[in-house]
Amino acid sequence: MNTTDFYFVSANGSFSTDGYLYKHHFDAYNPKQNLYYRTLGYLDKSQFKATFYFQSNITYILIIAPLTHGKNVQGLFSILVYGSDRVSMKKIGKTID
């Protein structure tokens, strides 16, 4: 995005989710580093939904995790971002079994 502004981010699926948003980069060995926001979806069984103040030309990493301890959680899933500018998204990781 090229415009610094507020953006609404929503991750909807057929299962309850927890979400983590990182600024600049994500380090799996130090997950608290660069943590910008974490939702506690298990408190109300809701999906990840929040409004953020995003700065232009900054990389943000969104990680969505199912709120279950079982493996191979499958179902419909979507991520929506609304704001004053176009937002580019790309998959940069892999699913962890």
Side-chain angles (χ1 to χ4, degrees):
M1 79 198 91
N2 294 316
T3 304
T4 297
D5 205 350
F6 289 95
Y7 292 81
F8 175 75
V9 179
S10 173
N12 299 301
S14 57
F15 47 88
S16 294
T17 59
D18 199 359
Y20 304 83
L21 184 69
Y22 292 86
K23 192 173 181 178
H24 300 295
H25 73 276
F26 169 70
D27 180 354
Y29 297 104
N30 187 3
K32 291 183 180 179
Q33 180 183 14
N34 297 322
L35 182 61
Y36 185 64
Y37 178 84
R38 177 182 180 208
T39 184
L40 299 173
Y42 62 85
L43 292 176
D44 60 6
K45 303 291 184 197
S46 66
Q47 303 295 321
F48 179 89
K49 293 181 177 143
T51 300
F52 301 101
Y53 187 73
F54 286 154
Q55 296 173 319
S56 64
N57 301 311
I58 298 287
T59 299
Y60 295 91
I61 296 92
L62 176 64
I63 297 176
I64 301 296
L67 290 175
T68 180
H69 298 291
K71 290 186 176 184
N72 299 322
V73 174
Q74 296 181 16
L76 299 174
F77 186 78
S78 65
I79 298 173
L80 303 171
V81 180
Y82 298 101
S84 59
D85 198 2
R86 184 181 188 135
V87 176
S88 298
M89 298 178 68
K90 66 179 180 175
K91 183 178 176 180
I92 59 171
K94 63 180 180 178
T95 302
I96 299 173
D97 294 327

